[in-house]
Structures are given as C-alpha cells and as structure tokens.
Amino acid sequence: MAEAGRSVLNEAWGRIPQTRETAAGYGSFTRTRIERVSELLIGSGSFVFALQAFVAALGPGDEREGWHLPLVVAVFGPLAAMIVACLIGRFARVFSALFIVVYFAALALWPAVTVGSQPIPTEEPWTFYLLTVATAAAVIAFPLSLQIAATIAAPLLFGVTRLVQGGFDDRFWVPVGLDVSFAIILGSVLVVLGWTYRSVAANVDETRARAVASYAEAAAAAATERERVAVAALMHDSVLGALLSAERAGTPRERTLAVSMAREALTRLANAEKDAWEGSDEPVDAVRLAEEIESAAREMGIDTAVARKLDEDTPRVPGRVARALVLAAMQAVANAVQHADAVGLAVELRGRAEPGGVTVRVRDAGGGFDIDRIPDDRLGIRGSIQARVTAVGGRTEIESGSSGTTVTLHWESGNRW
C-alpha cells in the first residue's frame, strides 16, 4: 500500500502545472517561488544601492594613492556578478557569498589604505552605502544564524574602521554611531522579512504535501479496490473458459488442452495476490525485464536465454509496466511450449533511446494458427497478453503462419495508462 501511495502521489503532483521552480520536489513548491522573488527584489534593490555607492566612489576617495581603483574594482566586480545572478536566477548564492567575503575584506583593509587621510565626520565613504547590500546578500547566501551574524558584524566592522580612520576623534562618535545603528536596524528588517516569508512558505508547502498525500491515500485505496475487481473478473473468465473448454472437449487432444486451461486457471487463483496490477511502480532498468523472463522460464522448466539489444540511453520502465510485459511474454512462451513444443523458441528484448521504449519479441517455429479463428473463450492471448499489455499503455502484434508465430510487445515511455 505504501508503494501504491507513492505512485498515486506522483500522479497527483503531476496534475499541478510544472515549471523549473516546481520540479525541485513536493515540499518546495512555494518556498522555491519565495526564493526566486527574494532574488529578484534583492537584485533590484542592490542595483539601486550599488549605483549610489558607485557614484560616491567616482569622487575623490579617502584611500591612499594607488589603492582607490583596485579596491573599487575588487568590491564592485563581485557585486555586479551578484546582481546579475539574482536577476537571472542562476548562482545567486555563490556570488552573494563571494561579495560578502570581498566586502568584509575591504572593510578590514580600510584603516590601512586610508592612513594619513583627513576624513570629514559627516561625510560617509562609499563603503557605507553597501552595508545594506551586504545584509541582503547574506539573506540570499547564508542560513539564519549567519544572516544575523553578518547583519551585526558588517556595521560594527564599518564603525570600528571608521573610528580608526578618524583617530577616535570625538567628532566621529555620534555620526558613526548613527550610521551603525541605521545599518543594523535596516539589516534586521531584511533578515526578519526573509525569515518570515520563508517560514510561511515552508508551512504552505507542508500543508500542500499533507493534502496531496491525503489525496494519494484515498486514490490508492480506490485504485486497489478497482484492481481487486479486475483480478476477480480475470479469474472468473479464466475459470469459465476452462469449464467451457472441458464441456466441449471430445478428443484426447481437446481434453488435454482443457486440463491445461484448468491448471492455468487454478494457478492464477492461487497466485491472485501476485498479479501484475499490484506491487511497486518504482522504475526499473530495461535489462531487468530480460532477467525476470529468464527466471520465470526456469521456474516453468524452460531454459531459454533472452537476447538483449539495448541502446545506451534506453529509458527505465515503470514497475507496473515491467511486470505486465514479463507476464505477457511468459504467456507467449507458455503458448509456444504448449502448442509448438518450444521448437525454435527465442526471446528478444530491444530497448530504444529514440523514441524511448522497449520491445519484447517471442518467436517459435511451430505450425502457427489463425488468429481470427481463436474461440472467444480462449483468454490466453486476448486476456493474458493483449489486454494485459494494453492496460499499461502498450500494444501487441501477433504474426502467425506455417513457419511459426511471433508475439511482439511494445511499450513507449510517453504512453500513459
């Protein structure tokens, strides 16, 4: 039931329109969108602050000769990359973290590169305008604990370096204190907003996941009941077919066939819980089909090797489809053994990358039969092969003549059932 629930969960989630943002998983539908909106807002806001800081940096700076241009390039280069990354939605975290590291390094170097300058207490350097940008970058790049640390550390580091630059003159304490306080308050607002929206998004995603899981559970229960009805119908048809065949048997050969049909019906009844409709729908490698056919054939006392012709990019096959193909192929093998004495019996598995899909082909060199003259009560081909493959979105081709019979089972990855 757990496997069936996950299968229906996949189907339920597939009903929601999928984009690159939603493909991340069931639990990140809203969170992914919040992250994207945050990147766009922070990228746009950072551009405004960066433009303000760049204009300030174009004027005369406090740095010593030869330091101003390298410092500006070192800071604004990663900042520009961060803004572009936020706007296009690629590598935003990487470039945001890089900008924070470079900006902190620039603040740490500030006392050394401004030695001997005569700063004005009421005129902030260009680095001041990037304090809020640093906090915004932390919201993108770091978890909450590091966001808080960066929000406090960047303004404090700026304040210390500014006081060192001014020689701790009394005129600097009040302006610097106001700058630091303003930066911490504005940065705290950004961090709180980011945490709030992310928390709300996480709660929405969790609620959505529970709702989809609830739907999946109900749908799985309904699907299981439908499957049981289908199994019961198939068992009924198998038993009815065996009884009709026994009633009409007039020759030793016909009686032998009736016994075979009865044995098959009893086997199906005894193994109804193992029908192809049940079990995990987890995709399996195409080569698994060949292994399952060989194993099932050995259980029937038939030693046959499945020829494998698989393209490198052959898609994986859903578990339900794989089981249906294996069971249908084994019915074709059983028919070849029963009606052609396994003369020329050969099984081939073909996997294609374009269009993605698999083909199972069972051949024998018996006398063949007329497909159109198969009685309605014979379900070996109609029920166990054609109906079973059709039920999982595949198709069946049967060619029979005096030179033998070929049963071909096709399934393509784009088919749904």
Side-chain angles (χ1 to χ4, degrees):
M1 178 63 73
E3 294 290 349
R6 282 192 290 270
S7 175
V8 180
L9 179 61
N10 292 337
E11 180 180 352
W13 188 258
R15 296 179 182 275
I16 298 176
Q18 299 294 302
T19 63
R20 179 171 56 85
E21 289 82 0
T22 65
Y26 307 139
S28 60
F29 187 83
T30 305
R31 175 65 180 267
T32 302
R33 280 160 171 71
I34 289 294
E35 294 293 342
R36 185 70 190 108
V37 170
S38 298
E39 290 175 358
L40 290 173
L41 291 177
I42 289 176
S44 303
S46 296
F47 175 76
V48 175
F49 282 98
L51 186 61
Q52 185 180 11
F54 187 73
V55 171
L58 291 178
D62 296 333
E63 302 93 320
R64 289 186 297 168
E65 184 179 355
W67 278 97
H68 180 70
L69 182 59
L71 202 62
V72 169
V73 172
V75 172
F76 281 92
L79 176 56
M82 184 195 85
I83 293 173
V84 173
C86 287
L87 294 179
I88 67 175
R90 300 285 185 180
F91 306 108
R93 288 188 175 183
V94 175
F95 288 111
S96 296
L98 177 62
F99 165 70
I100 293 174
V101 172
V102 173
Y103 181 66
F104 268 82
L107 290 180
L109 289 173
W110 191 257
V113 301
T114 58
V115 172
S117 63
Q118 299 296 326
I120 300 175
T122 57
E123 293 185 4
E124 294 86 357
W126 59 269
T127 53
F128 168 75
Y129 301 101
L130 298 178
L131 284 174
T132 303
V133 178
T135 301
V139 172
I140 292 292
F142 300 142
L144 182 61
S145 58
L146 290 181
Q147 293 174 27
I148 296 173
T151 300
I152 297 174
L156 290 180
L157 181 58
F158 168 81
V160 171
T161 57
R162 183 72 169 152
L163 291 174
V164 171
Q165 180 189 4
F168 293 94
D169 192 306
D170 292 341
R171 296 174 301 163
F172 282 85
W173 285 92
V174 173
V176 170
L178 291 175
D179 291 341
V180 171
S181 300
F182 173 78
I184 291 178
I185 292 173
L186 185 56
S188 299
V189 171
L190 290 177
V191 171
V192 170
L193 286 176
W195 172 79
T196 300
Y197 285 123
R198 283 170 172 167
S199 298
V200 171
N203 290 333
V204 171
D205 285 331
E206 183 179 357
T207 302
R208 175 183 287 107
R210 287 199 301 267
V212 174
S214 177
Y215 163 80
E217 183 178 353
T224 300
E225 184 61 27
R226 288 196 301 270
E227 291 162 5
R228 288 175 179 170
V229 172
V231 171
L234 180 59
M235 296 305 102
H236 175 271
D237 290 344
S238 298
V239 174
L240 180 61
L243 292 175
L244 290 174
S245 179
E247 180 185 8
R248 298 171 181 174
T251 65
R253 176 61 175 170
E254 291 176 346
R255 285 192 290 271
T256 300
L257 292 177
V259 171
S260 175
M261 291 183 64
R263 184 182 297 111
E264 180 181 357
L266 291 173
T267 301
R268 287 183 177 180
L269 285 172
N271 296 280
E273 294 301 321
K274 298 180 181 179
D275 191 81
W277 290 105
E278 299 186 4
S280 169
D281 201 33
E282 186 71 19
V284 299
D285 293 332
V287 70
R288 177 77 175 273
L289 275 70
E291 297 171 354
E292 292 290 340
I293 294 173
E294 291 174 346
S295 176
R298 283 194 296 270
E299 293 179 1
M300 295 174 58
I302 305 169
D303 188 10
T304 183
V306 178
R308 299 163 171 81
K309 298 180 180 179
L310 302 174
D311 294 346
E312 183 176 355
D313 296 326
T314 297
R316 305 187 77 198
V317 182
R320 184 177 300 183
V321 176
R323 288 188 297 277
L325 292 177
V326 169
L327 289 173
M330 288 313 303
Q331 180 64 51
V333 170
N335 289 346
V337 173
Q338 181 179 1
H339 301 295
D341 296 325
V343 175
L345 177 61
V347 184
E348 175 186 298
L349 173 64
R350 179 77 170 89
R352 303 173 305 281
E354 288 295 338
V358 294
T359 297
V360 181
R361 184 170 287 110
V362 180
R363 297 189 183 94
D364 67 63
F369 60 93
D370 187 349
I371 299 176
D372 297 330
R373 298 182 62 183
I374 298 177
D376 293 337
D377 58 349
R378 298 305 301 270
L379 301 176
I381 291 179
R382 292 191 178 91
S384 298
I385 297 179
Q386 293 175 325
R388 177 170 278 148
V389 174
T390 301
V392 294
R395 69 180 191 278
T396 305
E397 296 177 3
I398 300 177
E399 300 175 358
S400 186
S402 58
S403 60
T405 301
T406 300
V407 177
T408 306
L409 315 174
H410 298 281
W411 179 81
E412 294 182 359
S413 59
N415 293 345
R416 298 184 62 86
W417 61 93

